[in-house]
Amino acid sequence: MKPVALLDGGLGQEIYRRAMNVTSLLWSVAVMREQPEVVTDVHADFIRAGARTLTLNTYAATPTRLAREGLGDEIGAIHQRAFEVLERAIALAGAEVDIAGCLPPLVGSYREQPARTFEDLKSEFDVLVKLQGGADVFLIETMTNSLEASAACAAASESGKPFGVAFRLEADGKLRSGETLAEAVEAVKASGPTAIMLNCCDPEVISLAMPELAGLFPCTGGYANAFKTVEPMAGGALVDELEARPDVSPGLYALQVKQWLEDGAAVVGGCCEITPEHISHLADVLTDEYRLIKFSELARR
């Protein structure tokens, strides 16, 4: 059977939804500081659902974002807490899974290319790679421009660990920077990613783009969101203002994911608003046709 790496789902959004009375630009990181047990429970639910690779809850914990909120001095403690809550969940679930370090956009999601140099961006990603040195793999997520993606890939590649990079496409099939998918792939492939993926797009956008992506790189994947629109957050609003699409049920999502696999994907999972229920259903429907593996096992093929 074809091996498929199964990631978790929309970690940050699931944490935020379960938290009590937390509203913050730091999103699920703010929850982790105040209610760490919520984060452990979400991780554990994704593991029980069948995810083989679990991402650290550090998406909003970049040096830039923490400094902006006056928490720059706590960056080490926040990353340590992220490991602690995930390791506790792994112990509770009794499963053997990958811990994935998270290398996100440094300023915020859904932005255009930052007015920074490659060297400046890479130095900040270097900090994150060092802080997450205990991870088994790295996932570079929600990239909207090739400059930031290239800097993240350079930092991840120096860790010597498997890593994947995922771009977000707009409805027109291009990155928010205006670059094409082919241009984005060309910019990062020399750094040696294990997989090049698409994430945090509408499922339909990934379905349209996956055949092209599979022709551009040997190991590909996708994990979509289920937001109605991300534009409020792109403009700097809180995640509170985003709404979920009621039509993206576990069954419908699994149909989209199976199409990506038929078109060549080898890594799947979910992004914002894709719940443990979605991942559980996905694991169930894929088990008969695919061998579900950890992301790190792709690098050994």
Side-chain angles (χ1 to χ4, degrees):
M1 293 196 295
K2 177 184 174 181
V4 171
L6 182 59
L7 310 180
D8 55 9
L11 175 65
Q13 195 69 2
E14 187 70 15
I15 291 167
Y16 209 61
R17 177 174 31 247
R18 297 189 194 187
M20 301 290 290
N21 304 317
V22 177
T23 296
S24 172
L25 287 168
L26 293 179
W27 199 24
S28 57
V29 168
V31 178
M32 186 168 66
R33 295 177 72 238
E34 300 175 24
Q35 302 173 44
E37 69 283 354
V38 172
V39 183
T40 292
D41 288 345
V42 173
H43 280 312
D45 284 350
F46 276 121
I47 296 170
R48 295 185 186 108
R52 303 295 200 269
T53 297
L54 283 292
T55 306
L56 290 168
N57 180 42
T58 55
Y59 186 90
T62 68
T64 292
R65 295 182 72 172
L66 292 177
R68 191 170 60 200
E69 300 303 310
L71 294 173
D73 292 344
E74 295 187 31
I75 188 168
I78 288 170
H79 279 77
Q80 182 178 349
R81 174 62 63 87
F83 274 100
E84 290 170 354
V85 296
L86 177 48
E87 288 166 353
R88 190 174 304 130
I90 293 170
L92 286 170
E96 183 182 343
V97 298
D98 275 340
I99 293 177
C102 178
L103 301 183
L106 297 174
V107 175
S109 300
Y110 319 127
R111 313 293 172 87
E112 295 183 9
Q113 184 165 299
R116 297 170 63 175
T117 65
F118 174 89
E119 291 74 16
D120 182 35
L121 292 166
K122 182 179 178 295
S123 68
E124 188 165 343
F125 282 118
D126 285 338
V127 171
L128 292 174
V129 169
K130 183 176 181 180
L131 287 167
Q132 300 176 37
D136 301 301
V137 301
F138 285 96
L139 295 178
I140 300 161
E141 302 186 304
T142 323
M143 291 288 114
T144 57
N145 64 90
S146 66
L147 177 65
E148 195 166 19
S150 297
C153 286
S157 67
E158 290 175 4
S159 74
K161 296 179 179 181
F163 71 95
V165 54
F167 293 100
R168 172 188 155 79
L169 299 180
E170 302 298 315
D172 63 1
K174 293 183 178 180
L175 279 65
R176 189 163 287 243
S177 63
E179 296 166 287
T180 66
L181 179 57
E183 289 169 336
V185 171
E186 186 63 29
V188 301
K189 67 181 184 181
S191 62
T194 301
I196 298 179
M197 302 169 288
L198 303 171
N199 88 298
C200 217
C201 326
D202 292 340
E204 297 84 357
V205 171
I206 295 181
S207 295
L208 285 171
M210 189 58 68
E212 179 187 1
L213 180 59
L216 293 169
F217 197 76
C219 185
T220 62
Y223 47 116
N225 71 29
F227 283 141
K228 289 183 178 179
T229 176
V230 302
E231 290 311 310
M233 198 169 177
L238 293 170
V239 71
D240 309 52
E241 297 188 29
L242 302 186
E243 295 181 62
R245 285 174 52 180
D247 61 311
V248 184
S249 65
L252 183 145
Y253 189 69
L255 289 174
Q256 296 275 2
V257 171
K258 289 187 76 172
Q259 183 62 55
W260 308 341
L261 292 169
E262 290 171 11
D263 288 335
V267 186
V268 296
C271 205
C272 306
E273 297 291 353
I274 301 302
T275 68
E277 289 73 25
H278 288 82
I279 297 300
S280 178
H281 182 75
L282 187 57
D284 286 344
V285 300
L286 296 183
T287 298
D288 289 341
E289 296 180 55
Y290 300 95
R291 181 168 57 89
L292 302 181
I293 63 173
K294 301 182 291 184
F295 186 90
S296 60
E297 294 178 89
L298 289 170
R300 304 172 199 156
R301 292 167 60 192

